[in-house]
Amino acid sequence: MDVFESFEETLRRTAPVLLAGPGIILIVSGLFLWPGGLRFLKPLAAFFASTAGLICAWMLTDRSLTAMLMLGLIPAVIALALDKPVVVLLGACLTAATVLAAPLVTDAAFRQAVAERSPEFPAADEASVLEPSDYTERISAWASGWCTAFWAELPDLRKLAAAAAAVGVLVLGVAAWRWICALTCAALGTGMILFGITLLVLSKGPQTIPYIQEKLPFLWLIAGVMAAGGTLLNRWLCPAVPQPKKQTEHHSAQGGKK
């Protein structure tokens, strides 16, 4: 069963608003980041750091309220002061994720192999409505199994390429952080817009799955053009602010004229 078809039954039972609502939010948020994310580096860095902290708290701790709050708030506060390095790190993570995820879009056989090794997507039923926490646990278990199967199917060469690409982005971020941050915002905005559109299409029902599968071969081209255009728009709409000359230099220049 293909990765898109594994949750077909869940789509039949899902209210359209549960997909359309998040889809609209993602599209609107992406439209802010795609052309002008450089103006929102601090909130973007704080959100990324907080999300990473919460994921670590969920996976590595007992999920107590104290652990969730500490690992959610402390990284966000640090990221507010180190927004540029954090966004560069986000760009490196997105680059590695893109290299790793490429076979999911371009190789149907790879998707099939991952789906065969991963557990079946948990279908929504009446029990999931009455006990949403239990259904969340089942979704979490499915996601863990799917990630394990995905990682096992990836060839070692692609994993090495993803690591090398991430390191390359980090190195470029030291020399040209504004360009890397602009590309990161544009790529993230592009992903949010495309994923939001996908959710809106899926909200129409499971009959839209074949339509999405037909468009997969063109996804990389569309995403690449949008990311490149968004990067240029970020640099144009959010230019570097010239640093004012120091007051001491001004006084010394006046003294030299005398």
Side-chain angles (χ1 to χ4, degrees):
M1 183 179 295
D2 194 88
V3 67
F4 289 100
E5 298 172 351
S6 59
F7 54 94
E8 183 174 346
E9 183 64 24
T10 299
L11 282 180
R12 289 195 179 97
R13 298 173 179 266
T14 301
V17 69
L18 296 180
L19 294 177
I24 293 174
I25 293 174
L26 284 172
I27 292 173
V28 173
S29 302
L31 288 175
F32 278 98
L33 284 178
W34 178 64
L38 283 177
R39 298 188 183 276
F40 306 100
L41 289 186
K42 286 187 180 295
L44 175 60
F47 180 78
F48 168 65
S50 179
T51 302
L54 289 174
I55 292 175
C56 292
W58 182 268
M59 297 178 61
L60 304 177
T61 69
D62 58 355
R63 303 175 187 175
S64 64
L65 180 60
T66 302
M68 298 294 286
L69 286 177
M70 290 183 62
L71 290 178
L73 293 177
I74 294 177
V77 173
I78 296 174
L80 288 176
L82 302 174
D83 54 324
K84 299 177 183 65
V86 171
V87 174
V88 170
L89 177 61
L90 172 60
C93 294
L94 289 177
T95 302
T98 301
V99 175
L100 293 175
L104 286 175
V105 179
T106 60
D107 190 350
F110 179 83
R111 296 198 302 270
Q112 184 70 25
V114 173
E116 289 176 354
R117 295 187 61 162
S118 61
E120 185 176 355
F121 188 85
D125 49 25
E126 293 182 2
S128 64
V129 177
L130 298 176
E131 299 182 6
S133 60
D134 179 66
Y135 187 63
T136 302
E137 289 290 340
R138 290 161 56 194
I139 291 289
S140 178
W142 170 82
S144 177
W146 187 91
C147 290
T148 301
F150 171 72
W151 187 257
E153 287 293 329
L154 281 174
D156 293 336
L157 186 60
R158 181 165 291 275
K159 298 175 184 177
L160 183 61
V167 172
V169 170
L170 291 175
V171 173
L172 289 175
V174 175
W177 69 266
R178 187 173 291 274
W179 278 105
I180 296 300
C181 288
L183 178 58
T184 300
C185 294
L188 187 60
T190 297
M192 294 171 70
I193 292 171
L194 294 179
F195 188 56
I197 293 174
T198 301
L199 290 180
L200 285 179
V201 174
L202 287 175
S203 68
K204 300 297 183 180
Q207 69 274 8
T208 58
I209 291 178
Y211 173 81
I212 294 176
Q213 290 176 306
E214 292 176 0
K215 304 302 179 183
L216 281 180
F218 309 101
L219 181 62
W220 285 119
L221 177 61
I222 297 172
V225 172
M226 288 183 64
T231 302
L232 296 177
L233 280 174
N234 265 278
R235 290 308 314 272
W236 178 49
L237 296 176
C238 312
V241 179
Q243 296 293 332
K245 294 183 179 180
K246 293 182 179 180
Q247 196 71 14
T248 56
E249 294 178 355
H250 178 68
H251 288 308
S252 61
Q254 288 183 342
K257 292 180 181 179
K258 293 178 182 179

